[in-house]
Amino acid sequence: YGLTATWTFNDQNGVLTISGTGTMNDFHMDEMPWMPFVKQIKTVVVEKGIITVGNNAFANMSNLTQVRLAEGLIDLGDWAFYGCSSLMSMHLPDSVTSLGSYAFSDCTSLTSIVIPNSVTSVEMCAFIHCSSLKRVTLPSSLPRISRTTFVECPSLQEVRAYCLDQVDKLWDEVKRFDNPHTYYVDLSQKLWDIKYGLLKKNNCHEA
């Protein structure tokens, strides 16, 4: 939890609440202080004032179905919601800027998510193995996203359809595997200098 963060669990309704101010601690897998209740937790509430969700904070909550994150939250740590296999949807507040590695990996019931315009980085494997994920809304301003972000998401229909459509627009010479078309690229003067410097350094001759 953190220097000024506290947590409470209501075993009557299955709600885990994180309150206070500042950052949550990072945790090792299955060593969170609420681990004894992990199978009973149905709802997670992160109240206003908390600015980060720590690594592994809510991992392996297999009965978690609802998450409420207050405005002002900035960062979701690595593995934050890993293995929350009953979580079907997720609302991220407009203040979030970063989704950590494996943040939602193995959330096998997650069907859709909207990533707000405030997000500037989505780290590797953030949604890996989200086998039910069908729709993701990404901001056009997102400067960086890992190429492994959506690995093993077979239901992500729009991305698959877009990729197939783009492949169909390629020339046959580009798509063929045998004797593919050769592209000739002009090098800038700087690249030529680097090339010949490496050849000279290694006593090589240009082919």
Side-chain angles (χ1 to χ4, degrees):
Y1 37 122
L3 292 176
T4 57
T6 60
W7 67 278
T8 59
F9 175 65
N10 186 328
D11 59 3
Q12 299 298 310
N13 57 16
V15 177
L16 173 68
T17 302
I18 310 297
S19 56
T21 58
T23 62
M24 288 181 64
N25 289 340
D26 293 329
F27 304 99
H28 294 295
M29 187 70 74
D30 297 336
E31 293 184 1
M32 306 82 77
W34 41 84
M35 190 62 200
F37 311 107
V38 71
K39 299 300 181 184
Q40 300 171 249
I41 297 171
K42 298 179 180 178
T43 301
V44 164
V45 177
V46 178
E47 295 186 340
K48 189 174 180 63
I50 301 297
I51 60 174
T52 67
V53 169
N55 295 348
N56 295 299
F58 308 118
N60 290 320
M61 292 184 176
S62 58
N63 293 312
L64 180 67
T65 59
Q66 186 176 13
V67 176
R68 298 200 295 269
L69 305 175
E71 287 292 336
L73 185 70
I74 296 173
D75 178 66
L76 294 185
D78 299 344
W79 309 88
F81 291 94
Y82 164 77
C84 294
S85 55
S86 297
L87 187 63
M88 297 181 66
S89 63
M90 185 77 183
H91 173 73
L92 298 175
D94 290 335
S95 54
V96 171
T97 62
S98 175
L99 305 183
S101 300
Y102 298 89
F104 295 97
S105 62
D106 291 74
C107 290
T108 53
S109 296
L110 189 67
T111 59
S112 65
I113 190 165
V114 175
I115 298 178
N117 291 331
S118 56
V119 171
T120 57
S121 69
V122 179
E123 300 300 332
M124 68 175 188
C125 302
F127 295 92
I128 190 173
H129 299 147
C130 291
S131 54
S132 299
L133 191 61
K134 294 183 177 180
R135 183 178 181 84
V136 175
T137 302
L138 297 170
S140 58
S141 58
L142 184 65
R144 184 175 72 85
I145 187 169
S146 169
R147 64 181 180 179
T148 60
T149 296
F150 297 107
V151 171
E152 298 295 330
C153 295
S155 298
L156 201 51
Q157 298 168 347
E158 290 190 15
V159 171
R160 291 166 63 86
Y162 175 80
C163 291
L164 289 172
D165 178 66
Q166 294 303 302
V167 169
D168 286 340
K169 293 178 180 179
L170 296 174
W171 293 351
D172 290 337
E173 291 85 351
V174 176
K175 290 188 287 184
R176 69 189 180 197
F177 290 100
D178 294 327
N179 301 315
H181 185 71
T182 300
Y183 285 94
Y184 295 95
V185 179
D186 289 331
L187 298 181
S188 66
Q189 185 61 50
K190 184 176 179 179
L191 288 176
W192 274 112
D193 293 342
I194 293 172
K195 173 184 175 181
Y196 281 105
L198 290 171
L199 290 172
K200 184 178 180 179
K201 179 179 178 181
N202 293 282
N203 295 318
C204 297
H205 299 283
E206 184 177 14

